[in-house]
Amino acid sequence: MREDYAATVDGTPIPRESVAAFLNAGSTPPSRGAGNRATSHHGAARADRQRRRWATQVVITDELARRACARRSLAPPDDVLPMQLLTVPETDIADLGSIIAAALSHSPAARALLADLEHEQDIPEATVRDYYDRNQDRFLTPDALRRGVDPYGEPATSDIQPYGQVRHGIERDLRRAAARRAFFNWLDRARADIEYAEGHEHPGAPSHPDHEHRH
C-alpha cells in the first residue's frame, strides 16, 4: 500500500489527507482517563496515534455508507456537508460507541443508510405487547410519578398508562434498536476486507501496541 493511503476499500484508496482533514476540523474521540497519559511525551504520542486510528474508522464508515447508499439507490441527505464537524451526543456515544456515533453524526450517508434500515424493520405486535407487559414500571402515569408510586411495588392498574397510549412509542423504540443492530452487523461485514496502512489500524486491533477496546 502506498504511504499516502490510510487504507483501501475494495482496492480503492482512502487518502491519509482525508483522515487528517477530519482531525483538523476538530473531531476527536471521547477521552477515557487520558489526562494523566497526556502529561508525558509518550502518552501524548500514544493519544495522537489513537486519534488517527479512530478518525480512520469514521472516514471509512462514511465511505462504506456511501457505497451502500449507491447500491440501494439512496441519495444521502444534503443538509450538511459530508464529514462536517458536528457535536456527538454523549448518550449516542454510550449507546453506539464513539466510532459509530461519530460516523452517524458526521456522515449524511451513514444517517441515510440507518434510516433505510429502520424502515426495513418489522416489529410484530406480539413483540410490542410483550415489551409493555414486561416493563410496566416504565409506563407510570404522570400522576403516579408525582405521587411517588413505587414502579416495582405492584402499582395499581390506574397508575399505569394504557397500552394503546404507549404502543406507538414502544414500537418506534424497538424499530430504532433493531435498525441499530442491523447497522452494526452491516458495518462488521462491510469492513471485514479493508486493508490498513501502518498507523491507521482499528484502535481496538490487538496487532498494534496502543490498542484499546473502543467502538
Side-chain angles (χ1 to χ4, degrees):
M1 187 183 302
R2 287 173 51 182
E3 292 183 357
D4 53 344
Y5 297 160
T8 59
V9 179
D10 292 332
T12 300
I14 303 296
R16 290 178 186 264
E17 63 185 23
S18 296
V19 176
F22 182 57
L23 286 171
N24 289 338
S27 304
T28 58
S31 60
R32 288 186 178 179
N36 292 332
R37 287 202 306 262
T39 58
S40 68
H41 175 74
H42 175 76
R46 179 184 186 279
D48 183 65
R49 290 192 297 269
Q50 286 298 77
R51 281 194 295 269
R52 183 173 62 249
R53 291 178 169 115
W54 175 86
T56 298
Q57 288 299 313
V58 178
V59 171
I60 283 175
T61 301
D62 174 64
E63 173 64 24
L64 292 172
R66 289 171 181 273
R67 294 173 178 228
C69 285
R71 288 191 294 269
R72 290 168 171 256
S73 299
L74 296 175
D78 57 359
D79 53 336
V80 296
L81 295 174
M83 306 309 290
Q84 180 178 342
L85 177 61
L86 298 173
T87 300
V88 182
E90 291 185 8
T91 53
D92 283 352
I93 293 173
D95 292 343
L96 301 169
S98 66
I99 289 172
I100 293 179
L104 289 172
S105 185
H106 292 274
S107 169
R111 292 196 298 276
L113 176 59
L114 180 62
D116 200 50
L117 289 171
E118 187 170 333
H119 291 153
E120 293 178 356
Q121 305 308 310
D122 179 31
I123 308 299
E125 178 67 23
T127 300
V128 181
R129 182 71 204 205
D130 180 64
Y131 184 91
Y132 173 79
D133 291 340
R134 289 187 296 103
N135 297 278
Q136 292 203 343
D137 55 287
R138 300 187 177 187
F139 305 112
L140 289 179
T141 65
D143 179 66
L145 290 172
R146 284 193 297 269
R147 290 186 284 109
V149 171
D150 181 2
Y152 304 105
E154 298 185 7
T157 301
S158 59
D159 290 330
I160 304 295
Q161 299 179 66
Y163 176 68
Q165 290 183 9
V166 297
R167 180 200 171 282
H168 176 72
I170 296 172
E171 182 183 18
R172 179 196 61 218
D173 291 345
L174 292 178
R175 181 176 289 110
R176 183 176 300 165
R180 288 181 168 186
R181 290 193 297 272
F183 188 92
F184 296 155
N185 292 335
W186 160 79
L187 184 57
D188 282 343
R189 294 191 301 270
R191 63 187 179 190
D193 297 325
I194 291 174
E195 296 184 11
Y196 297 100
E198 184 177 355
H200 288 269
E201 306 91 343
H202 190 289
S207 59
H208 66 86
D210 298 327
H211 78 274
E212 60 183 57
H213 190 74
R214 173 184 283 158
H215 292 288

PDB file of all heavy atoms in Angstrom, residues 113-132:
ATOM      1  N   LEU A 113     -28.395   5.573   5.415  1.00  0.00           N
ATOM      2  CA  LEU A 113     -28.422   4.114   5.463  1.00  0.00           C
ATOM      3  C   LEU A 113     -29.147   3.634   6.711  1.00  0.00           C
ATOM      4  O   LEU A 113     -29.976   2.715   6.641  1.00  0.00           O
ATOM      5  CB  LEU A 113     -26.990   3.577   5.442  1.00  0.00           C
ATOM      6  CG  LEU A 113     -26.844   2.064   5.594  1.00  0.00           C
ATOM      7  CD1 LEU A 113     -27.583   1.333   4.483  1.00  0.00           C
ATOM      8  CD2 LEU A 113     -25.371   1.674   5.614  1.00  0.00           C
ATOM      9  N   LEU A 114     -28.868   4.242   7.861  1.00  0.00           N
ATOM     10  CA  LEU A 114     -29.545   3.837   9.089  1.00  0.00           C
ATOM     11  C   LEU A 114     -31.053   4.047   8.968  1.00  0.00           C
ATOM     12  O   LEU A 114     -31.840   3.197   9.395  1.00  0.00           O
ATOM     13  CB  LEU A 114     -28.996   4.620  10.286  1.00  0.00           C
ATOM     14  CG  LEU A 114     -29.633   4.295  11.636  1.00  0.00           C
ATOM     15  CD1 LEU A 114     -29.413   2.837  12.016  1.00  0.00           C
ATOM     16  CD2 LEU A 114     -29.085   5.213  12.724  1.00  0.00           C
ATOM     17  N   ALA A 115     -31.471   5.167   8.377  1.00  0.00           N
ATOM     18  CA  ALA A 115     -32.903   5.431   8.205  1.00  0.00           C
ATOM     19  C   ALA A 115     -33.549   4.374   7.310  1.00  0.00           C
ATOM     20  O   ALA A 115     -34.675   3.919   7.569  1.00  0.00           O
ATOM     21  CB  ALA A 115     -33.109   6.825   7.615  1.00  0.00           C
ATOM     22  N   ASP A 116     -32.841   3.963   6.259  1.00  0.00           N
ATOM     23  CA  ASP A 116     -33.388   2.946   5.364  1.00  0.00           C
ATOM     24  C   ASP A 116     -33.485   1.601   6.077  1.00  0.00           C
ATOM     25  O   ASP A 116     -34.475   0.872   5.913  1.00  0.00           O
ATOM     26  CB  ASP A 116     -32.497   2.820   4.127  1.00  0.00           C
ATOM     27  CG  ASP A 116     -33.220   2.167   2.957  1.00  0.00           C
ATOM     28  OD1 ASP A 116     -34.345   2.598   2.637  1.00  0.00           O
ATOM     29  OD2 ASP A 116     -32.663   1.214   2.362  1.00  0.00           O
ATOM     30  N   LEU A 117     -32.481   1.290   6.879  1.00  0.00           N
ATOM     31  CA  LEU A 117     -32.541   0.058   7.657  1.00  0.00           C
ATOM     32  C   LEU A 117     -33.695   0.087   8.652  1.00  0.00           C
ATOM     33  O   LEU A 117     -34.350  -0.935   8.900  1.00  0.00           O
ATOM     34  CB  LEU A 117     -31.216  -0.152   8.401  1.00  0.00           C
ATOM     35  CG  LEU A 117     -30.011  -0.523   7.534  1.00  0.00           C
ATOM     36  CD1 LEU A 117     -28.728  -0.476   8.360  1.00  0.00           C
ATOM     37  CD2 LEU A 117     -30.189  -1.895   6.912  1.00  0.00           C
ATOM     38  N   GLU A 118     -33.948   1.268   9.212  1.00  0.00           N
ATOM     39  CA  GLU A 118     -35.061   1.379  10.159  1.00  0.00           C
ATOM     40  C   GLU A 118     -36.392   1.102   9.475  1.00  0.00           C
ATOM     41  O   GLU A 118     -37.273   0.437  10.046  1.00  0.00           O
ATOM     42  CB  GLU A 118     -35.065   2.771  10.793  1.00  0.00           C
ATOM     43  CG  GLU A 118     -36.079   2.925  11.903  1.00  0.00           C
ATOM     44  CD  GLU A 118     -35.917   4.217  12.687  1.00  0.00           C
ATOM     45  OE1 GLU A 118     -34.783   4.736  12.742  1.00  0.00           O
ATOM     46  OE2 GLU A 118     -36.910   4.706  13.243  1.00  0.00           O
ATOM     47  N   HIS A 119     -36.543   1.578   8.244  1.00  0.00           N
ATOM     48  CA  HIS A 119     -37.784   1.331   7.509  1.00  0.00           C
ATOM     49  C   HIS A 119     -37.981  -0.148   7.211  1.00  0.00           C
ATOM     50  O   HIS A 119     -39.120  -0.605   7.029  1.00  0.00           O
ATOM     51  CB  HIS A 119     -37.778   2.119   6.197  1.00  0.00           C
ATOM     52  CG  HIS A 119     -37.871   3.593   6.384  1.00  0.00           C
ATOM     53  ND1 HIS A 119     -37.358   4.509   5.491  1.00  0.00           N
ATOM     54  CD2 HIS A 119     -38.415   4.334   7.389  1.00  0.00           C
ATOM     55  CE1 HIS A 119     -37.570   5.728   5.930  1.00  0.00           C
ATOM     56  NE2 HIS A 119     -38.206   5.647   7.083  1.00  0.00           N
ATOM     57  N   GLU A 120     -36.897  -0.890   7.163  1.00  0.00           N
ATOM     58  CA  GLU A 120     -36.979  -2.318   6.834  1.00  0.00           C
ATOM     59  C   GLU A 120     -37.379  -3.184   8.027  1.00  0.00           C
ATOM     60  O   GLU A 120     -37.750  -4.343   7.842  1.00  0.00           O
ATOM     61  CB  GLU A 120     -35.627  -2.811   6.310  1.00  0.00           C
ATOM     62  CG  GLU A 120     -35.227  -2.232   4.970  1.00  0.00           C
ATOM     63  CD  GLU A 120     -33.858  -2.728   4.535  1.00  0.00           C
ATOM     64  OE1 GLU A 120     -33.204  -3.449   5.307  1.00  0.00           O
ATOM     65  OE2 GLU A 120     -33.448  -2.381   3.412  1.00  0.00           O
ATOM     66  N   GLN A 121     -37.279  -2.649   9.217  1.00  0.00           N
ATOM     67  CA  GLN A 121     -37.514  -3.465  10.414  1.00  0.00           C
ATOM     68  C   GLN A 121     -39.001  -3.711  10.628  1.00  0.00           C
ATOM     69  O   GLN A 121     -39.806  -2.789  10.600  1.00  0.00           O
ATOM     70  CB  GLN A 121     -36.906  -2.797  11.644  1.00  0.00           C
ATOM     71  CG  GLN A 121     -35.439  -2.471  11.520  1.00  0.00           C
ATOM     72  CD  GLN A 121     -34.595  -3.647  11.086  1.00  0.00           C
ATOM     73  OE1 GLN A 121     -34.679  -4.738  11.656  1.00  0.00           O
ATOM     74  NE2 GLN A 121     -33.767  -3.425  10.060  1.00  0.00           N
ATOM     75  N   ASP A 122     -39.344  -4.964  10.835  1.00  0.00           N
ATOM     76  CA  ASP A 122     -40.730  -5.356  11.118  1.00  0.00           C
ATOM     77  C   ASP A 122     -40.821  -5.772  12.580  1.00  0.00           C
ATOM     78  O   ASP A 122     -40.192  -6.752  12.994  1.00  0.00           O
ATOM     79  CB  ASP A 122     -41.145  -6.499  10.194  1.00  0.00           C
ATOM     80  CG  ASP A 122     -42.567  -6.968  10.474  1.00  0.00           C
ATOM     81  OD1 ASP A 122     -43.391  -6.129  10.894  1.00  0.00           O
ATOM     82  OD2 ASP A 122     -42.841  -8.171  10.292  1.00  0.00           O
ATOM     83  N   ILE A 123     -41.571  -5.006  13.345  1.00  0.00           N
ATOM     84  CA  ILE A 123     -41.732  -5.312  14.771  1.00  0.00           C
ATOM     85  C   ILE A 123     -43.134  -5.893  14.972  1.00  0.00           C
ATOM     86  O   ILE A 123     -44.128  -5.167  14.893  1.00  0.00           O
ATOM     87  CB  ILE A 123     -41.546  -4.047  15.639  1.00  0.00           C
ATOM     88  CG1 ILE A 123     -40.238  -3.337  15.288  1.00  0.00           C
ATOM     89  CG2 ILE A 123     -41.597  -4.429  17.111  1.00  0.00           C
ATOM     90  CD1 ILE A 123     -38.994  -4.165  15.502  1.00  0.00           C
ATOM     91  N   PRO A 124     -43.244  -7.189  15.221  1.00  0.00           N
ATOM     92  CA  PRO A 124     -44.565  -7.807  15.392  1.00  0.00           C
ATOM     93  C   PRO A 124     -45.325  -7.210  16.579  1.00  0.00           C
ATOM     94  O   PRO A 124     -44.732  -6.791  17.572  1.00  0.00           O
ATOM     95  CB  PRO A 124     -44.235  -9.287  15.639  1.00  0.00           C
ATOM     96  CG  PRO A 124     -42.862  -9.483  15.092  1.00  0.00           C
ATOM     97  CD  PRO A 124     -42.152  -8.179  15.324  1.00  0.00           C
ATOM     98  N   GLU A 125     -46.617  -7.211  16.466  1.00  0.00           N
ATOM     99  CA  GLU A 125     -47.466  -6.696  17.538  1.00  0.00           C
ATOM    100  C   GLU A 125     -47.210  -7.444  18.839  1.00  0.00           C
ATOM    101  O   GLU A 125     -47.176  -6.846  19.925  1.00  0.00           O
ATOM    102  CB  GLU A 125     -48.936  -6.827  17.142  1.00  0.00           C
ATOM    103  CG  GLU A 125     -49.922  -6.355  18.202  1.00  0.00           C
ATOM    104  CD  GLU A 125     -49.850  -4.847  18.436  1.00  0.00           C
ATOM    105  OE1 GLU A 125     -49.390  -4.119  17.529  1.00  0.00           O
ATOM    106  OE2 GLU A 125     -50.255  -4.401  19.519  1.00  0.00           O
ATOM    107  N   ALA A 126     -46.992  -8.748  18.736  1.00  0.00           N
ATOM    108  CA  ALA A 126     -46.760  -9.545  19.941  1.00  0.00           C
ATOM    109  C   ALA A 126     -45.484  -9.098  20.650  1.00  0.00           C
ATOM    110  O   ALA A 126     -45.413  -9.120  21.887  1.00  0.00           O
ATOM    111  CB  ALA A 126     -46.665 -11.028  19.571  1.00  0.00           C
ATOM    112  N   THR A 127     -44.486  -8.666  19.894  1.00  0.00           N
ATOM    113  CA  THR A 127     -43.234  -8.201  20.491  1.00  0.00           C
ATOM    114  C   THR A 127     -43.450  -6.894  21.236  1.00  0.00           C
ATOM    115  O   THR A 127     -42.911  -6.689  22.332  1.00  0.00           O
ATOM    116  CB  THR A 127     -42.163  -8.020  19.401  1.00  0.00           C
ATOM    117  OG1 THR A 127     -41.948  -9.273  18.744  1.00  0.00           O
ATOM    118  CG2 THR A 127     -40.856  -7.526  19.993  1.00  0.00           C
ATOM    119  N   VAL A 128     -44.237  -6.008  20.638  1.00  0.00           N
ATOM    120  CA  VAL A 128     -44.530  -4.729  21.282  1.00  0.00           C
ATOM    121  C   VAL A 128     -45.309  -4.958  22.569  1.00  0.00           C
ATOM    122  O   VAL A 128     -44.992  -4.372  23.621  1.00  0.00           O
ATOM    123  CB  VAL A 128     -45.333  -3.814  20.332  1.00  0.00           C
ATOM    124  CG1 VAL A 128     -45.618  -2.467  20.997  1.00  0.00           C
ATOM    125  CG2 VAL A 128     -44.575  -3.597  19.025  1.00  0.00           C
ATOM    126  N   ARG A 129     -46.323  -5.811  22.503  1.00  0.00           N
ATOM    127  CA  ARG A 129     -47.141  -6.083  23.678  1.00  0.00           C
ATOM    128  C   ARG A 129     -46.308  -6.754  24.779  1.00  0.00           C
ATOM    129  O   ARG A 129     -46.455  -6.422  25.968  1.00  0.00           O
ATOM    130  CB  ARG A 129     -48.310  -6.997  23.300  1.00  0.00           C
ATOM    131  CG  ARG A 129     -49.244  -7.301  24.471  1.00  0.00           C
ATOM    132  CD  ARG A 129     -50.052  -6.092  24.847  1.00  0.00           C
ATOM    133  NE  ARG A 129     -50.512  -6.146  26.220  1.00  0.00           N
ATOM    134  CZ  ARG A 129     -51.603  -5.500  26.656  1.00  0.00           C
ATOM    135  NH1 ARG A 129     -52.328  -4.787  25.814  1.00  0.00           N
ATOM    136  NH2 ARG A 129     -51.954  -5.564  27.910  1.00  0.00           N
ATOM    137  N   ASP A 130     -45.442  -7.662  24.393  1.00  0.00           N
ATOM    138  CA  ASP A 130     -44.604  -8.342  25.375  1.00  0.00           C
ATOM    139  C   ASP A 130     -43.692  -7.348  26.085  1.00  0.00           C
ATOM    140  O   ASP A 130     -43.495  -7.449  27.304  1.00  0.00           O
ATOM    141  CB  ASP A 130     -43.769  -9.426  24.683  1.00  0.00           C
ATOM    142  CG  ASP A 130     -42.865 -10.166  25.651  1.00  0.00           C
ATOM    143  OD1 ASP A 130     -43.382 -10.849  26.552  1.00  0.00           O
ATOM    144  OD2 ASP A 130     -41.627 -10.044  25.509  1.00  0.00           O
ATOM    145  N   TYR A 131     -43.148  -6.404  25.336  1.00  0.00           N
ATOM    146  CA  TYR A 131     -42.287  -5.402  25.963  1.00  0.00           C
ATOM    147  C   TYR A 131     -43.089  -4.582  26.976  1.00  0.00           C
ATOM    148  O   TYR A 131     -42.603  -4.299  28.076  1.00  0.00           O
ATOM    149  CB  TYR A 131     -41.701  -4.471  24.896  1.00  0.00           C
ATOM    150  CG  TYR A 131     -40.727  -3.460  25.456  1.00  0.00           C
ATOM    151  CD1 TYR A 131     -39.368  -3.753  25.518  1.00  0.00           C
ATOM    152  CD2 TYR A 131     -41.164  -2.225  25.940  1.00  0.00           C
ATOM    153  CE1 TYR A 131     -38.463  -2.841  26.052  1.00  0.00           C
ATOM    154  CE2 TYR A 131     -40.267  -1.315  26.478  1.00  0.00           C
ATOM    155  CZ  TYR A 131     -38.927  -1.621  26.525  1.00  0.00           C
ATOM    156  OH  TYR A 131     -38.054  -0.724  27.060  1.00  0.00           O
ATOM    157  N   TYR A 132     -44.307  -4.210  26.610  1.00  0.00           N
ATOM    158  CA  TYR A 132     -45.161  -3.441  27.529  1.00  0.00           C
ATOM    159  C   TYR A 132     -45.452  -4.240  28.792  1.00  0.00           C
ATOM    160  O   TYR A 132     -45.335  -3.721  29.918  1.00  0.00           O
ATOM    161  CB  TYR A 132     -46.461  -3.076  26.822  1.00  0.00           C
ATOM    162  CG  TYR A 132     -47.495  -2.426  27.705  1.00  0.00           C
ATOM    163  CD1 TYR A 132     -47.405  -1.073  28.036  1.00  0.00           C
ATOM    164  CD2 TYR A 132     -48.581  -3.144  28.204  1.00  0.00           C
ATOM    165  CE1 TYR A 132     -48.360  -0.466  28.842  1.00  0.00           C
ATOM    166  CE2 TYR A 132     -49.539  -2.556  29.008  1.00  0.00           C
ATOM    167  CZ  TYR A 132     -49.415  -1.207  29.333  1.00  0.00           C
ATOM    168  OH  TYR A 132     -50.367  -0.616  30.135  1.00  0.00           O
TER     169      TYR A 132
END
